[in-house]
PDB file of all heavy atoms in Angstrom:
ATOM      1  N   ARG O   1       0.986  -1.082   0.041  1.00  0.00           N
ATOM      2  CA  ARG O   1       0.026  -0.063   0.016  1.00  0.00           C
ATOM      3  C   ARG O   1       0.873   1.234   0.049  1.00  0.00           C
ATOM      4  O   ARG O   1       1.673   1.443   1.002  1.00  0.00           O
ATOM      5  CB  ARG O   1      -0.879   0.056   1.316  1.00  0.00           C
ATOM      6  CG  ARG O   1      -1.839   1.228   1.243  1.00  0.00           C
ATOM      7  CD  ARG O   1      -2.721   1.274   2.490  1.00  0.00           C
ATOM      8  NE  ARG O   1      -3.550   2.473   2.382  1.00  0.00           N
ATOM      9  CZ  ARG O   1      -3.422   3.478   3.237  1.00  0.00           C
ATOM     10  NH1 ARG O   1      -2.567   3.418   4.279  1.00  0.00           N
ATOM     11  NH2 ARG O   1      -4.193   4.492   3.146  1.00  0.00           N
ATOM     12  N   GLY O   2       0.899   1.928  -1.087  1.00  0.00           N
ATOM     13  CA  GLY O   2       1.809   3.115  -1.246  1.00  0.00           C
ATOM     14  C   GLY O   2       1.427   4.332  -0.602  1.00  0.00           C
ATOM     15  O   GLY O   2       0.197   4.429  -0.265  1.00  0.00           O
ATOM     16  N   LEU O   3       2.230   5.225  -0.512  1.00  0.00           N
ATOM     17  CA  LEU O   3       1.949   6.585   0.126  1.00  0.00           C
ATOM     18  C   LEU O   3       1.171   7.325  -1.042  1.00  0.00           C
ATOM     19  O   LEU O   3       0.154   7.956  -0.790  1.00  0.00           O
ATOM     20  CB  LEU O   3       3.196   7.350   0.346  1.00  0.00           C
ATOM     21  CG  LEU O   3       3.045   8.805   0.932  1.00  0.00           C
ATOM     22  CD1 LEU O   3       2.288   8.766   2.220  1.00  0.00           C
ATOM     23  CD2 LEU O   3       4.417   9.453   1.084  1.00  0.00           C
ATOM     24  N   PHE O   4       1.674   7.196  -2.295  1.00  0.00           N
ATOM     25  CA  PHE O   4       1.005   7.801  -3.476  1.00  0.00           C
ATOM     26  C   PHE O   4       0.313   6.714  -4.377  1.00  0.00           C
ATOM     27  O   PHE O   4       0.852   5.637  -4.438  1.00  0.00           O
ATOM     28  CB  PHE O   4       2.102   8.477  -4.273  1.00  0.00           C
ATOM     29  CG  PHE O   4       2.593   9.758  -3.689  1.00  0.00           C
ATOM     30  CD1 PHE O   4       3.776   9.759  -3.012  1.00  0.00           C
ATOM     31  CD2 PHE O   4       2.004  10.960  -3.738  1.00  0.00           C
ATOM     32  CE1 PHE O   4       4.288  10.887  -2.316  1.00  0.00           C
ATOM     33  CE2 PHE O   4       2.514  12.126  -3.210  1.00  0.00           C
ATOM     34  CZ  PHE O   4       3.639  12.003  -2.434  1.00  0.00           C
ATOM     35  N   ARG O   5      -0.822   7.104  -4.955  1.00  0.00           N
ATOM     36  CA  ARG O   5      -1.381   6.181  -5.938  1.00  0.00           C
ATOM     37  C   ARG O   5      -0.544   6.248  -7.111  1.00  0.00           C
ATOM     38  O   ARG O   5       0.251   7.086  -7.446  1.00  0.00           O
ATOM     39  CB  ARG O   5      -2.826   6.771  -6.299  1.00  0.00           C
ATOM     40  CG  ARG O   5      -3.806   6.768  -5.253  1.00  0.00           C
ATOM     41  CD  ARG O   5      -5.258   7.128  -5.622  1.00  0.00           C
ATOM     42  NE  ARG O   5      -5.366   8.099  -6.779  1.00  0.00           N
ATOM     43  CZ  ARG O   5      -5.298   9.480  -6.596  1.00  0.00           C
ATOM     44  NH1 ARG O   5      -5.165  10.022  -5.372  1.00  0.00           N
ATOM     45  NH2 ARG O   5      -5.277  10.212  -7.658  1.00  0.00           N
ATOM     46  N   PRO O   6      -0.494   5.089  -7.942  1.00  0.00           N
ATOM     47  CA  PRO O   6       0.321   5.052  -9.051  1.00  0.00           C
ATOM     48  C   PRO O   6       0.209   6.233 -10.040  1.00  0.00           C
ATOM     49  O   PRO O   6       1.208   6.683 -10.553  1.00  0.00           O
ATOM     50  CB  PRO O   6      -0.187   3.658  -9.821  1.00  0.00           C
ATOM     51  CG  PRO O   6      -0.701   2.867  -8.656  1.00  0.00           C
ATOM     52  CD  PRO O   6      -1.377   3.897  -7.745  1.00  0.00           C
ATOM     53  N   GLU O   7      -1.017   6.690 -10.242  1.00  0.00           N
ATOM     54  CA  GLU O   7      -1.166   7.889 -11.153  1.00  0.00           C
ATOM     55  C   GLU O   7      -0.403   9.108 -10.548  1.00  0.00           C
ATOM     56  O   GLU O   7       0.152   9.939 -11.335  1.00  0.00           O
ATOM     57  CB  GLU O   7      -2.590   8.213 -11.318  1.00  0.00           C
ATOM     58  CG  GLU O   7      -3.524   7.125 -11.857  1.00  0.00           C
ATOM     59  CD  GLU O   7      -3.950   6.082 -10.827  1.00  0.00           C
ATOM     60  OE1 GLU O   7      -3.828   6.290  -9.587  1.00  0.00           O
ATOM     61  OE2 GLU O   7      -4.189   4.906 -11.240  1.00  0.00           O
ATOM     62  N   GLU O   8      -0.358   9.205  -9.253  1.00  0.00           N
ATOM     63  CA  GLU O   8       0.303  10.388  -8.725  1.00  0.00           C
ATOM     64  C   GLU O   8       1.817  10.091  -8.825  1.00  0.00           C
ATOM     65  O   GLU O   8       2.591  11.144  -9.091  1.00  0.00           O
ATOM     66  CB  GLU O   8       0.059  10.480  -7.211  1.00  0.00           C
ATOM     67  CG  GLU O   8      -1.499  10.847  -6.891  1.00  0.00           C
ATOM     68  CD  GLU O   8      -1.812  10.798  -5.365  1.00  0.00           C
ATOM     69  OE1 GLU O   8      -1.505   9.707  -4.753  1.00  0.00           O
ATOM     70  OE2 GLU O   8      -2.424  11.689  -4.951  1.00  0.00           O
ATOM     71  N   ARG O   9       2.407   9.044  -8.705  1.00  0.00           N
ATOM     72  CA  ARG O   9       3.759   8.650  -8.855  1.00  0.00           C
ATOM     73  C   ARG O   9       4.152   9.064 -10.335  1.00  0.00           C
ATOM     74  O   ARG O   9       5.303   9.523 -10.506  1.00  0.00           O
ATOM     75  CB  ARG O   9       4.048   7.237  -8.558  1.00  0.00           C
ATOM     76  CG  ARG O   9       3.835   6.890  -7.120  1.00  0.00           C
ATOM     77  CD  ARG O   9       4.159   5.412  -6.775  1.00  0.00           C
ATOM     78  NE  ARG O   9       3.159   4.821  -6.097  1.00  0.00           N
ATOM     79  CZ  ARG O   9       2.945   3.566  -5.865  1.00  0.00           C
ATOM     80  NH1 ARG O   9       3.810   2.678  -6.434  1.00  0.00           N
ATOM     81  NH2 ARG O   9       2.068   3.214  -5.031  1.00  0.00           N
ATOM     82  N   VAL O  10       3.342   8.635 -11.322  1.00  0.00           N
ATOM     83  CA  VAL O  10       3.626   9.043 -12.691  1.00  0.00           C
ATOM     84  C   VAL O  10       3.835  10.560 -12.803  1.00  0.00           C
ATOM     85  O   VAL O  10       4.701  11.026 -13.427  1.00  0.00           O
ATOM     86  CB  VAL O  10       2.481   8.402 -13.627  1.00  0.00           C
ATOM     87  CG1 VAL O  10       2.644   9.078 -14.928  1.00  0.00           C
ATOM     88  CG2 VAL O  10       2.559   6.986 -13.657  1.00  0.00           C
ATOM     89  N   GLU O  11       2.860  11.241 -12.179  1.00  0.00           N
ATOM     90  CA  GLU O  11       2.910  12.796 -12.302  1.00  0.00           C
ATOM     91  C   GLU O  11       4.129  13.236 -11.693  1.00  0.00           C
ATOM     92  O   GLU O  11       4.832  14.161 -12.186  1.00  0.00           O
ATOM     93  CB  GLU O  11       1.602  13.312 -11.715  1.00  0.00           C
ATOM     94  CG  GLU O  11       1.659  14.897 -11.699  1.00  0.00           C
ATOM     95  CD  GLU O  11       1.895  15.446 -13.108  1.00  0.00           C
ATOM     96  OE1 GLU O  11       1.435  14.897 -14.204  1.00  0.00           O
ATOM     97  OE2 GLU O  11       2.450  16.477 -13.206  1.00  0.00           O
ATOM     98  N   LEU O  12       4.540  12.707 -10.511  1.00  0.00           N
ATOM     99  CA  LEU O  12       5.742  13.206  -9.832  1.00  0.00           C
ATOM    100  C   LEU O  12       6.902  12.876 -10.680  1.00  0.00           C
ATOM    101  O   LEU O  12       7.862  13.793 -10.807  1.00  0.00           O
ATOM    102  CB  LEU O  12       5.895  12.560  -8.428  1.00  0.00           C
ATOM    103  CG  LEU O  12       4.791  12.926  -7.381  1.00  0.00           C
ATOM    104  CD1 LEU O  12       4.974  12.070  -6.133  1.00  0.00           C
ATOM    105  CD2 LEU O  12       4.808  14.355  -7.128  1.00  0.00           C
ATOM    106  N   LEU O  13       7.046  11.739 -11.280  1.00  0.00           N
ATOM    107  CA  LEU O  13       8.223  11.360 -12.077  1.00  0.00           C
ATOM    108  C   LEU O  13       8.218  12.214 -13.348  1.00  0.00           C
ATOM    109  O   LEU O  13       9.293  12.709 -13.698  1.00  0.00           O
ATOM    110  CB  LEU O  13       8.146   9.928 -12.462  1.00  0.00           C
ATOM    111  CG  LEU O  13       8.584   8.897 -11.527  1.00  0.00           C
ATOM    112  CD1 LEU O  13       8.029   7.548 -11.805  1.00  0.00           C
ATOM    113  CD2 LEU O  13      10.124   8.910 -11.686  1.00  0.00           C
ATOM    114  N   ARG O  14       7.178  12.536 -13.899  1.00  0.00           N
ATOM    115  CA  ARG O  14       7.088  13.485 -15.005  1.00  0.00           C
ATOM    116  C   ARG O  14       7.648  14.897 -14.778  1.00  0.00           C
ATOM    117  O   ARG O  14       8.420  15.446 -15.545  1.00  0.00           O
ATOM    118  CB  ARG O  14       5.682  13.635 -15.646  1.00  0.00           C
ATOM    119  CG  ARG O  14       5.228  12.492 -16.406  1.00  0.00           C
ATOM    120  CD  ARG O  14       3.864  12.706 -17.162  1.00  0.00           C
ATOM    121  NE  ARG O  14       3.605  11.527 -17.921  1.00  0.00           N
ATOM    122  CZ  ARG O  14       2.517  10.840 -18.086  1.00  0.00           C
ATOM    123  NH1 ARG O  14       1.500  11.288 -17.307  1.00  0.00           N
ATOM    124  NH2 ARG O  14       2.402   9.789 -18.785  1.00  0.00           N
ATOM    125  N   ARG O  15       7.257  15.325 -13.534  1.00  0.00           N
ATOM    126  CA  ARG O  15       7.800  16.675 -13.199  1.00  0.00           C
ATOM    127  C   ARG O  15       9.353  16.641 -12.960  1.00  0.00           C
ATOM    128  O   ARG O  15      10.060  17.638 -13.223  1.00  0.00           O
ATOM    129  CB  ARG O  15       7.090  17.154 -11.851  1.00  0.00           C
ATOM    130  CG  ARG O  15       5.663  17.653 -12.127  1.00  0.00           C
ATOM    131  CD  ARG O  15       4.933  18.193 -11.098  1.00  0.00           C
ATOM    132  NE  ARG O  15       5.551  18.402  -9.827  1.00  0.00           N
ATOM    133  CZ  ARG O  15       4.919  18.123  -8.665  1.00  0.00           C
ATOM    134  NH1 ARG O  15       3.642  17.578  -8.649  1.00  0.00           N
ATOM    135  NH2 ARG O  15       5.471  18.311  -7.424  1.00  0.00           N
ATOM    136  N   CYS O  16       9.781  15.527 -12.450  1.00  0.00           N
ATOM    137  CA  CYS O  16      11.175  15.362 -12.099  1.00  0.00           C
ATOM    138  C   CYS O  16      12.239  15.132 -13.244  1.00  0.00           C
ATOM    139  O   CYS O  16      13.324  15.295 -13.268  1.00  0.00           O
ATOM    140  CB  CYS O  16      11.423  14.297 -11.072  1.00  0.00           C
ATOM    141  SG  CYS O  16      10.732  14.681  -9.508  1.00  0.00           S
ATOM    142  N   THR O  17      11.521  14.626 -14.406  1.00  0.00           N
ATOM    143  CA  THR O  17      12.291  14.237 -15.602  1.00  0.00           C
ATOM    144  C   THR O  17      11.956  15.094 -16.791  1.00  0.00           C
ATOM    145  O   THR O  17      12.345  14.719 -17.958  1.00  0.00           O
ATOM    146  CB  THR O  17      12.054  12.765 -15.927  1.00  0.00           C
ATOM    147  OG1 THR O  17      10.616  12.620 -16.170  1.00  0.00           O
ATOM    148  CG2 THR O  17      12.496  11.904 -14.765  1.00  0.00           C
ATOM    149  N   GLN O  18      11.238  16.142 -16.595  1.00  0.00           N
ATOM    150  CA  GLN O  18      10.841  16.893 -17.766  1.00  0.00           C
ATOM    151  C   GLN O  18      12.038  17.474 -18.603  1.00  0.00           C
ATOM    152  O   GLN O  18      11.881  17.751 -19.811  1.00  0.00           O
ATOM    153  CB  GLN O  18       9.850  17.991 -17.346  1.00  0.00           C
ATOM    154  CG  GLN O  18      10.466  19.025 -16.471  1.00  0.00           C
ATOM    155  CD  GLN O  18       9.289  20.035 -16.046  1.00  0.00           C
ATOM    156  OE1 GLN O  18       8.214  19.973 -16.518  1.00  0.00           O
ATOM    157  NE2 GLN O  18       9.655  20.860 -15.087  1.00  0.00           N
ATOM    158  N   SER O  19      13.214  17.649 -18.002  1.00  0.00           N
ATOM    159  CA  SER O  19      14.263  18.067 -18.783  1.00  0.00           C
ATOM    160  C   SER O  19      15.086  17.106 -19.498  1.00  0.00           C
ATOM    161  O   SER O  19      15.997  17.322 -20.223  1.00  0.00           O
ATOM    162  CB  SER O  19      15.299  18.754 -17.837  1.00  0.00           C
ATOM    163  OG  SER O  19      15.873  17.859 -16.926  1.00  0.00           O
ATOM    164  N   LEU O  20      14.600  15.824 -19.420  1.00  0.00           N
ATOM    165  CA  LEU O  20      15.273  14.699 -20.117  1.00  0.00           C
ATOM    166  C   LEU O  20      14.355  14.225 -21.306  1.00  0.00           C
ATOM    167  O   LEU O  20      13.336  13.521 -21.120  1.00  0.00           O
ATOM    168  CB  LEU O  20      15.391  13.528 -19.127  1.00  0.00           C
ATOM    169  CG  LEU O  20      16.253  13.796 -17.855  1.00  0.00           C
ATOM    170  CD1 LEU O  20      16.187  12.692 -16.959  1.00  0.00           C
ATOM    171  CD2 LEU O  20      17.722  14.174 -18.285  1.00  0.00           C
ATOM    172  N   PRO O  21      14.682  14.752 -22.531  1.00  0.00           N
ATOM    173  CA  PRO O  21      13.729  14.557 -23.664  1.00  0.00           C
ATOM    174  C   PRO O  21      13.601  13.012 -24.092  1.00  0.00           C
ATOM    175  O   PRO O  21      12.499  12.803 -24.685  1.00  0.00           O
ATOM    176  CB  PRO O  21      14.379  15.360 -24.790  1.00  0.00           C
ATOM    177  CG  PRO O  21      15.814  15.487 -24.339  1.00  0.00           C
ATOM    178  CD  PRO O  21      15.899  15.409 -22.890  1.00  0.00           C
ATOM    179  N   ASN O  22      14.416  12.142 -23.769  1.00  0.00           N
ATOM    180  CA  ASN O  22      14.321  10.840 -24.218  1.00  0.00           C
ATOM    181  C   ASN O  22      13.771   9.875 -23.103  1.00  0.00           C
ATOM    182  O   ASN O  22      13.785   8.684 -23.286  1.00  0.00           O
ATOM    183  CB  ASN O  22      15.683  10.217 -24.687  1.00  0.00           C
ATOM    184  CG  ASN O  22      16.696  10.080 -23.667  1.00  0.00           C
ATOM    185  OD1 ASN O  22      16.835  10.956 -22.861  1.00  0.00           O
ATOM    186  ND2 ASN O  22      17.503   9.098 -23.855  1.00  0.00           N
ATOM    187  N   VAL O  23      13.205  10.475 -22.023  1.00  0.00           N
ATOM    188  CA  VAL O  23      12.678   9.748 -20.954  1.00  0.00           C
ATOM    189  C   VAL O  23      11.218   9.863 -21.035  1.00  0.00           C
ATOM    190  O   VAL O  23      10.583  10.965 -21.073  1.00  0.00           O
ATOM    191  CB  VAL O  23      13.247  10.304 -19.517  1.00  0.00           C
ATOM    192  CG1 VAL O  23      12.497   9.612 -18.483  1.00  0.00           C
ATOM    193  CG2 VAL O  23      14.660   9.995 -19.482  1.00  0.00           C
ATOM    194  N   GLU O  24      10.526   8.659 -20.942  1.00  0.00           N
ATOM    195  CA  GLU O  24       9.011   8.612 -20.916  1.00  0.00           C
ATOM    196  C   GLU O  24       8.640   7.947 -19.689  1.00  0.00           C
ATOM    197  O   GLU O  24       9.344   7.068 -19.158  1.00  0.00           O
ATOM    198  CB  GLU O  24       8.637   7.761 -22.205  1.00  0.00           C
ATOM    199  CG  GLU O  24       7.241   7.490 -22.307  1.00  0.00           C
ATOM    200  CD  GLU O  24       6.929   6.492 -23.349  1.00  0.00           C
ATOM    201  OE1 GLU O  24       7.662   6.349 -24.319  1.00  0.00           O
ATOM    202  OE2 GLU O  24       5.824   5.750 -23.170  1.00  0.00           O
ATOM    203  N   ILE O  25       7.433   8.501 -19.140  1.00  0.00           N
ATOM    204  CA  ILE O  25       6.970   7.837 -17.790  1.00  0.00           C
ATOM    205  C   ILE O  25       5.802   7.149 -18.199  1.00  0.00           C
ATOM    206  O   ILE O  25       4.906   7.560 -18.925  1.00  0.00           O
ATOM    207  CB  ILE O  25       6.700   9.054 -16.862  1.00  0.00           C
ATOM    208  CG1 ILE O  25       7.872   9.982 -16.647  1.00  0.00           C
ATOM    209  CG2 ILE O  25       6.293   8.345 -15.541  1.00  0.00           C
ATOM    210  CD1 ILE O  25       9.096   9.311 -16.172  1.00  0.00           C
ATOM    211  N   ASP O  26       5.631   5.905 -17.601  1.00  0.00           N
ATOM    212  CA  ASP O  26       4.463   5.109 -17.902  1.00  0.00           C
ATOM    213  C   ASP O  26       4.204   4.379 -16.613  1.00  0.00           C
ATOM    214  O   ASP O  26       4.911   4.500 -15.634  1.00  0.00           O
ATOM    215  CB  ASP O  26       4.837   4.138 -18.943  1.00  0.00           C
ATOM    216  CG  ASP O  26       3.454   3.463 -19.623  1.00  0.00           C
ATOM    217  OD1 ASP O  26       2.389   3.867 -19.246  1.00  0.00           O
ATOM    218  OD2 ASP O  26       3.706   2.554 -20.415  1.00  0.00           O
ATOM    219  N   ARG O  27       3.071   3.559 -16.612  1.00  0.00           N
ATOM    220  CA  ARG O  27       2.735   2.738 -15.455  1.00  0.00           C
ATOM    221  C   ARG O  27       2.172   1.351 -15.986  1.00  0.00           C
ATOM    222  O   ARG O  27       1.706   1.431 -17.108  1.00  0.00           O
ATOM    223  CB  ARG O  27       1.814   3.342 -14.493  1.00  0.00           C
ATOM    224  CG  ARG O  27       0.348   3.509 -15.002  1.00  0.00           C
ATOM    225  CD  ARG O  27      -0.601   4.128 -13.903  1.00  0.00           C
ATOM    226  NE  ARG O  27      -0.802   3.109 -12.986  1.00  0.00           N
ATOM    227  CZ  ARG O  27      -2.127   2.632 -12.911  1.00  0.00           C
ATOM    228  NH1 ARG O  27      -3.107   2.966 -13.640  1.00  0.00           N
ATOM    229  NH2 ARG O  27      -2.414   1.609 -12.059  1.00  0.00           N
ATOM    230  N   SER O  28       2.425   0.417 -15.146  1.00  0.00           N
ATOM    231  CA  SER O  28       1.852  -0.957 -15.570  1.00  0.00           C
ATOM    232  C   SER O  28       1.606  -1.852 -14.418  1.00  0.00           C
ATOM    233  O   SER O  28       2.296  -1.711 -13.389  1.00  0.00           O
ATOM    234  CB  SER O  28       2.922  -1.653 -16.424  1.00  0.00           C
ATOM    235  OG  SER O  28       2.430  -2.985 -16.812  1.00  0.00           O
ATOM    236  N   ASP O  29       0.580  -2.822 -14.530  1.00  0.00           N
ATOM    237  CA  ASP O  29       0.291  -3.687 -13.459  1.00  0.00           C
ATOM    238  C   ASP O  29       0.494  -5.074 -14.039  1.00  0.00           C
ATOM    239  O   ASP O  29       0.083  -6.085 -13.461  1.00  0.00           O
ATOM    240  CB  ASP O  29      -1.105  -3.507 -12.915  1.00  0.00           C
ATOM    241  CG  ASP O  29      -2.200  -3.558 -14.009  1.00  0.00           C
ATOM    242  OD1 ASP O  29      -1.970  -3.819 -15.168  1.00  0.00           O
ATOM    243  OD2 ASP O  29      -3.429  -3.398 -13.632  1.00  0.00           O
TER     244      ASP O  29
END
């Protein structure tokens, strides 16, 4: 049981990696 929901983690990662053009953020179960 995470602190953040998976969708929130995706958003946090996107904010942290926005300066890296070849990095894509996704989620999967």
Side-chain angles (χ1 to χ4, degrees):
R1 179 179 179 249
L3 180 62
F4 290 94
R5 292 185 329 275
E7 302 80 20
E8 292 172 313
R9 293 181 224 165
V10 166
E11 179 54 34
L12 296 176
L13 277 159
R14 283 189 177 132
R15 289 187 358 226
C16 296
T17 61
Q18 63 187 351
S19 66
L20 302 170
N22 66 326
V23 172
E24 175 187 334
I25 310 301
D26 197 7
R27 69 175 283 249
S28 177
D29 57 2

